[in-house]
Amino acid sequence: MAISTLSSIPQIEKILQQAFLAPFIERLSRPVVADAVRKQVACYKKCHLQDPESHPFSLEQLYHNIEQGCWLLNQQRLQRVVNGTGVIVHTNLGRSPINADLWQQVTEVNTHYSNLEIDLSTGKRGKRKGLLQQLMQYLTKAENTLIVNNNASSIYLLLHELAKGKEVIVSRGEQIQIGGGFRIPDILALSGAKLVEVGTTNITTTQDYLDAITDETAMVLLVHTSNFKIRGFTESPDVKELANALPEHVILAVDQGSGTTTEQMPDEPTVASYIDAGADLVCYSGDKILGGPQSGMISGKDALIKQLEKNPMMRAFRPSRIVYSLLEELVVRKLNQQQEGKGVAEAKSHADLQLLEQRAQELADGFNDFISVVQSEMTVGGGSLPDQDDPSWSVQINPSQPAYQRSPEKLLAVMRQWPLPVIGVIKRDKVQLNMATVDASEISYLRSQLAEVLL
């Protein structure tokens, strides 16, 4: 009986012609959907044959399983989400969003052929940098700048090219680990450089560095602590003092990290300040505070940058024309002091508190006790400015109301399944959406979705 019932399941090709699968084929591709259908059919047959009473045959149930399987696959596609976390540069949510005007401005150069590696004045092969090298000179005061895929690539490249087989001195208080298991000691070992530790967790002096220098020392590396701060009884060397004291054969490299240039970020030294203090090379991200696409930058002395450019790994690390064109447009706007030149971190961390409160009130209006407006904090995130939290406003969803018995964790799960997924946080056992990272254009959508769930 079970066999004859299962034999009525249509062929895979017939199932693929069902109307409910058309949107998934468009989103996921026909081969991916076909494979998902095969897996669901096989799973359904197996369950039915093993226990027909618990899994009675139902073509409707099979189609429901197929639809759910395709929906889960669709969730894996890159898509826009609403960031309600209050973390401006959120690594899990794509870090810094690109300014829409910048993106629109470079659309044509990226959807047609471009002069990426041709000199239009001579017709001969040119360099990828275009105008970016000159623009970065004005922005950072450095002689030259090299662009790579990300800041981790920057660190690896300079260590591999300039310190392989030699000693690199790093303070014990700066041997950090950032997200994804990226550790400074590990990247030194991978590059072939030899780590020399100096100082203590909380105190490292200029003399500590000088005492550790030998004929085999290639570099002193100062590392941005990224996602933590050491407070209290601490001491670190003045960069200018250290630069002046180092022997000529020792390179002073700084992992500045965040990419702060013209932005108003308290207690965050700019790239230019390190260059002015005498650093030979400064590494930093192009997408955190700077506000561009994900990329890494190395600014500093021309001779060292040119040496890095000749490293065989540059072929693997060099970014695409999309990155170059976006950075070029961003820096032009930044030098012209235009609003589009501000990175999302600067723009949002200096947002008008009154506007954020109004946005929260607009979202909460009409939901009675289900949603309340509360004071909160925003943070830059992304391994930048770990000590800086700025005031913000949030809406707090109260699922403990008698008419709505759903835990905060379950509510967050529901919100992630909305057509435009929403990512919130749990504070004080309540779901909160922070207005610092919620766009004004997203309020009406949030109201309509929350009304379906709460009201």
Side-chain angles (χ1 to χ4, degrees):
M1 179 64 180
I3 298 296
S4 61
T5 303
L6 291 178
S7 66
S8 64
I9 295 176
Q11 295 180 338
I12 300 299
E13 185 60 36
K14 290 289 186 182
I15 297 177
L16 288 171
Q17 295 173 14
Q18 294 293 315
F20 75 90
L21 285 179
F24 291 115
I25 291 174
E26 183 177 352
R27 285 277 298 167
L28 305 173
S29 83
R30 187 180 179 85
V32 169
V33 174
D35 189 53
V37 170
R38 290 189 193 97
K39 288 178 179 177
Q40 289 295 337
V41 169
C43 181
Y44 188 82
K45 287 180 177 180
K46 182 179 179 180
C47 291
H48 179 73
L49 289 172
Q50 288 178 343
D51 190 355
E53 291 186 6
S54 300
H55 299 89
F57 178 77
S58 167
L59 195 59
E60 182 180 348
Q61 182 62 47
L62 172 60
Y63 284 173
H64 173 75
N65 293 352
I66 291 172
E67 185 174 18
Q68 286 297 107
C70 290
W71 182 85
L72 288 172
L73 284 172
N74 187 62
Q75 292 296 92
Q76 297 176 29
R77 273 206 64 164
L78 280 177
Q79 56 191 289
R80 176 183 171 182
V81 302
V82 176
N83 178 7
T85 67
V87 180
I88 299 169
V89 182
H90 200 305
T91 302
N92 303 131
L93 304 183
R95 302 229 283 210
S96 298
I98 301 295
N99 180 280
D101 289 338
L102 295 182
W103 188 267
Q104 186 65 35
Q105 191 66 32
V106 302
T107 298
E108 187 170 330
V109 75
N110 286 298
T111 54
H112 295 78
Y113 296 110
S114 69
N115 61 330
L116 179 65
E117 286 189 4
I118 187 171
D119 187 330
L120 293 178
S121 61
T122 64
K124 297 180 180 180
R125 180 166 182 160
K127 296 182 179 180
R128 286 191 171 217
K129 288 185 178 181
L131 189 64
L132 193 56
Q133 178 176 334
Q134 294 170 260
L135 294 170
M136 293 303 294
Q137 285 177 338
Y138 289 105
L139 191 66
T140 67
K141 314 305 179 189
E143 295 174 4
N144 203 342
T145 294
L146 175 63
I147 313 298
V148 291
N149 291 332
N150 53 41
N151 197 37
S153 299
S154 301
I155 299 297
Y156 176 84
L157 182 63
L158 72 88
L159 290 171
H160 183 265
E161 176 60 35
L162 304 174
K164 185 177 181 181
K166 296 187 176 182
E167 297 172 350
V168 175
I169 304 174
V170 184
S171 167
R172 288 185 172 88
E174 296 177 357
Q175 294 179 38
I176 65 166
Q177 175 176 326
I178 59 174
F182 178 90
R183 291 181 171 185
I184 288 296
D186 293 345
I187 205 71
L188 263 97
L190 187 64
S191 71
K194 301 175 183 177
L195 172 64
V196 176
E197 302 175 321
V198 297
T200 62
T201 302
N202 58 318
I203 292 180
T204 303
T205 66
T206 296
Q207 195 60 47
D208 288 329
Y209 288 103
L210 297 179
D211 289 343
I213 291 172
T214 70
D215 291 339
E216 292 299 308
T217 303
M219 183 183 299
V220 166
L221 178 63
L222 305 181
V223 184
H224 189 287
T225 52
S226 183
N227 50 13
F228 71 94
K229 285 287 186 183
I230 300 175
R231 300 188 187 90
F233 183 48
T234 64
E235 183 181 344
S236 58
D238 177 78
V239 177
K240 189 170 185 177
E241 176 189 342
L242 178 59
N244 291 334
L246 290 177
E248 190 174 339
H249 76 281
V250 177
I251 296 168
L252 177 58
V254 179
D255 174 18
Q256 192 273 343
S258 68
T260 303
T261 54
T262 61
E263 300 79 18
Q264 300 299 312
M265 295 295 173
D267 302 321
E268 184 76 355
T270 64
V271 175
S273 71
Y274 283 119
I275 296 293
D276 185 60
D280 298 304
L281 294 170
V282 182
C283 301
Y284 50 101
S285 295
D287 63 326
K288 291 182 179 179
I289 305 300
L290 195 67
Q294 180 172 313
S295 54
M297 297 180 165
I298 310 175
S299 295
K301 291 185 176 178
D302 183 60
L304 293 175
I305 295 295
K306 287 179 177 176
Q307 185 176 342
L308 294 172
E309 288 176 332
K310 294 177 182 178
N311 187 284
M313 289 301 293
M314 263 307 298
R315 188 78 178 180
F317 289 158
R318 71 181 187 183
S320 70
R321 64 178 177 182
I322 298 173
V323 171
Y324 278 108
S325 60
L326 282 167
L327 284 173
E328 196 174 67
E329 188 65 31
L330 170 71
V331 179
V332 167
R333 305 289 184 100
K334 200 175 283 287
L335 291 173
N336 286 339
Q337 300 182 6
Q338 293 175 260
Q339 182 66 29
E340 298 86 353
K342 290 184 176 182
V344 65
E346 181 183 17
K348 288 188 177 295
S349 62
H350 292 86
D352 187 328
L353 264 179
Q354 187 176 357
L355 288 179
L356 297 184
E357 184 181 11
Q358 291 174 358
R359 193 176 300 169
Q361 294 287 359
E362 181 184 352
L363 177 52
D365 185 42
F367 283 92
N368 301 320
D369 294 333
F370 283 114
I371 298 181
S372 55
V373 175
V374 296
Q375 290 182 316
S376 59
E377 292 181 330
M378 69 174 90
T379 186
V380 172
S384 304
L385 311 178
D387 250 0
Q388 181 179 329
D389 289 318
D390 295 303
S392 182
W393 287 90
S394 295
V395 295
Q396 181 171 278
I397 304 168
N398 306 308
S400 60
Q401 294 297 313
Y404 185 85
Q405 297 295 335
R406 181 173 278 159
S407 70
E409 291 80 8
K410 288 184 178 179
L411 178 57
L412 284 179
V414 168
M415 294 165 71
R416 292 194 302 271
Q417 296 170 15
W418 286 346
L420 174 56
V422 175
I423 313 298
V425 294
I426 297 175
K427 299 277 179 125
R428 309 185 195 97
D429 294 323
K430 303 287 191 301
V431 171
Q432 288 189 7
L433 300 177
N434 196 307
M435 295 300 103
T437 48
V438 173
D439 193 78
S441 63
E442 296 167 339
I443 296 299
S444 60
Y445 170 77
L446 289 172
R447 283 184 56 80
S448 64
Q449 292 298 123
L450 287 168
E452 286 188 21
V453 172
L454 299 176
L455 303 181

